[in-house]
Amino acid sequence: MEPRYKSKMIRVLDARIAVRSFDGRAVLLFGHCNATEEMADYLISRGVMPAAILDNSAAKQGQAYRTIPITPPEIVRNYTAENSLVLIVTRFFAKMSAQLKRLGYDGEIVQVVEYNSFAEYSLSDDTLRRKTARMLRGAETLKNIRNQYPSPHLIICPNKALGDVYWAMAFLPAYRAKRGIDEIAIVVVEDGCRQVAETFGEERIVTLSPTEMDEFVQAVIYTREGSCLFAHHDRPYTDNIIKYLDKHFLSFIDYYRFAVYGLSRETEPAAPTNLQPFNGGRTLQKGCGVILAPYAKSVTQLPAAFWENLAAEWRGKGIKVCTNVYGGETPIRGTAPLMLPLNQLPAAAEYAGVFIGLRNGLCDVVHAANCRKIVIFPDCFYSTTPHKAADFFALPGWESVVC
Amino acid sequence: MTDVKYAVEHLRMFRPEDVLFNCEFILVLHNYNECIHSSFIHKLGNRNGVVIQGEEALQILSLYSLYEFSDKVIIGSFDEPHGRKLRNLLDSGIATEETLIDDVILGAM
């Protein structure tokens, strides 16, 4: 979960704990995913034990997370407005809330974090007014982008996620060749995604804030903007390619090859072309170092002790261990912080010799690096799908550990 | 932008609340597709549902392009609303039309 969403989640839960909102009520969580697990962890740490995690996936039902049973949503029929409430921390709040109401649940349904500005199950004047204003703001952004880039094909990377942008860029040359597209411009969210696009030699890049991107995407949809592509595996909401995963399997990388770009099985991804040499040689020992990347937002975090033990193991072999950090992230105890522009990270991994990452976007960024690469997967499902994260996010050529 | 504002104002006159309230699923067929239509009817069984075509389908499609206002609405298309890339799975040979209709387009049913 992104730090800004996690802070919001903690504020909402703390406020409810302060007024004893959970006392004497069954706390039900809806949607078993990484964010829900983080919410469960936080509630348990504050002495609130959720009664159940509701989930529509038959593959998850019957299992448990930290002894919390994962059950079909229909069990809400056993609860009343007085003795229960439901907490939702996924971006499918509107859909899940509507489902619970259809099941006859009349208790409180709490949107712990607002992830999704695209969905609101209402046709009230107020909703229409707000959604119209939102789209019109996006249309202004679109107009400004088109003033700057009137003719290029727009490749829109709508989500702030390094790995999503990496694979969107990796298959872009094949898409351009197939479609005969000469000029392109990339639209991304925030600086990290811009850096990833730059590693592929892209120069025409527009960087938006997350809010600006949502509004811009809505305007592109509404105005049916031509000559553009949403280069993402499950966004925007008008696309439904991710639903294929409900009953079939396609890996994350294949989503970009097939579903996003419509390429053939033989198509190979391109490697970044604009990487920079590593200039932090004092931090690492050449050929005798390990870079840890322990933070992720798409899969559940592993306990700090896991990384501390791993670091100690490598140090015991006489190898220097660094933690790649960004923003407010802290290095794993016993390791040195390593803060680099993304275009130097592959070279840094090659310089050190070993890269070990929790499955996160940095793993994608160093994917083409020629070194020993180990990816750690928590044993969890990808989002609300019935597929394990280790299967969906598998990286060819990496040593893979599930724990 | 004046055109966009006009279109939205026009949309405000069209309120499909009654249909949304009374049905479990609403199939919007802007461009008629026999396979999607018949699969919808088959999957619907005894549940309440409606198929909307023609001008009303265009209105709903336009409103749905402004925001996701309901999870009961199924846009019966491989390419619409704008931004849908489902046809790529067909063109890549990953899935058949029948699979995509049953498991993706009508996957919520």
Side-chain angles (χ1 to χ4, degrees), chain A residues 118 131 134-135 217-224 237-238, chain B residues 11 58-69 75 80-82:
Chain A
F118 294 93
K131 295 302 179 188
R134 171 178 174 274
M135 184 276 295
V217 165
Q218 196 69 71
V220 168
I221 294 167
Y222 189 82
T223 62
R224 305 180 58 79
Y237 70 95
T238 49
Chain B
L11 268 179
L58 267 178
Q59 298 270 20
I60 292 184
L61 184 62
S62 188
L63 183 57
Y64 195 78
S65 299
L66 185 65
Y67 69 107
E68 183 187 346
F69 61 88
I75 309 295
E80 297 281 351
H82 193 52

Side-chain angles (χ1 to χ4, degrees), chain A residues 184-225:
Chain A
I184 60 160
I186 317 289
V187 189
V188 298
V189 180
E190 295 190 345
D191 185 61
C193 294
R194 178 187 58 77
Q195 289 187 47
V196 174
E198 284 175 344
T199 65
F200 285 84
E202 300 300 342
E203 292 174 347
R204 294 170 169 176
I205 302 172
V206 178
T207 307
L208 302 178
S209 71
T211 301
E212 285 173 333
M213 176 61 87
D214 281 3
E215 293 170 353
F216 164 71
V217 165
Q218 196 69 71
V220 168
I221 294 167
Y222 189 82
T223 62
R224 305 180 58 79
E225 172 69 12

Side-chain angles (χ1 to χ4, degrees), chain A residues 56-291:
Chain A
N56 287 313
S57 168
K60 297 180 184 179
Q61 293 163 6
Q63 300 191 23
Y65 174 71
R66 295 188 64 178
T67 75
I68 308 165
I70 301 174
T71 70
E74 284 73 14
I75 70 146
V76 292
R77 289 179 173 138
N78 302 332
Y79 293 92
T80 66
E82 289 71 36
N83 70 14
S84 69
L85 83 169
V86 178
L87 305 179
I88 298 177
V89 75
T90 85
R91 65 189 163 99
F92 304 109
F93 173 80
K95 192 182 290 279
M96 290 170 157
S97 177
Q99 181 184 354
L100 293 175
K101 286 173 185 166
R102 280 200 289 272
L103 287 169
Y105 184 67
D106 61 355
E108 188 180 5
I109 304 169
V110 181
Q111 183 176 24
V112 179
V113 175
E114 186 182 353
Y115 276 112
N116 184 351
S117 68
F118 294 93
E120 188 170 328
Y121 292 177
S122 162
L123 288 166
S124 69
D125 284 344
D126 176 59
T127 303
L128 275 172
R129 196 162 38 245
R130 282 186 290 101
K131 295 302 179 188
T132 302
R134 171 178 174 274
M135 184 276 295
L136 289 171
R137 287 192 299 273
E140 277 300 306
T141 302
L142 172 59
K143 189 171 80 176
N144 292 337
I145 291 173
R146 277 305 186 198
N147 283 340
Q148 192 177 1
Y149 300 118
S151 58
H153 194 72
L154 296 181
I155 300 296
I156 302 164
C157 301
N159 193 26
K160 183 189 166 189
L162 305 183
D164 300 353
V165 178
Y166 180 92
W167 292 105
M169 294 298 104
F171 286 106
L172 180 55
Y175 170 72
R176 291 178 70 174
K178 179 185 173 189
R179 296 276 303 269
I181 296 168
D182 186 26
E183 291 185 310
I184 60 160
I186 317 289
V187 189
V188 298
V189 180
E190 295 190 345
D191 185 61
C193 294
R194 178 187 58 77
Q195 289 187 47
V196 174
E198 284 175 344
T199 65
F200 285 84
E202 300 300 342
E203 292 174 347
R204 294 170 169 176
I205 302 172
V206 178
T207 307
L208 302 178
S209 71
T211 301
E212 285 173 333
M213 176 61 87
D214 281 3
E215 293 170 353
F216 164 71
V217 165
Q218 196 69 71
V220 168
I221 294 167
Y222 189 82
T223 62
R224 305 180 58 79
E225 172 69 12
S227 191
C228 63
L229 177 83
F230 292 112
H232 198 266
H233 62 284
D234 77 343
R235 297 186 189 200
Y237 70 95
T238 49
D239 205 351
N240 49 10
I241 48 177
I242 201 68
K243 279 199 74 62
Y244 183 74
L245 278 184
D246 288 350
K247 293 191 177 169
H248 308 273
F249 180 75
L250 202 59
S251 74
F252 176 59
I253 296 173
D254 277 345
Y255 252 94
Y256 283 84
R257 188 191 326 258
F258 300 127
V260 172
Y261 288 124
L263 301 168
S264 69
R265 291 176 193 276
E266 295 73 34
T267 308
E268 289 296 324
T273 55
N274 190 32
L275 296 173
Q276 297 299 312
F278 173 53
N279 66 9
R282 279 173 300 179
T283 321
L284 284 167
Q285 291 172 260
K286 187 172 172 57
C288 195
V290 171
I291 298 174

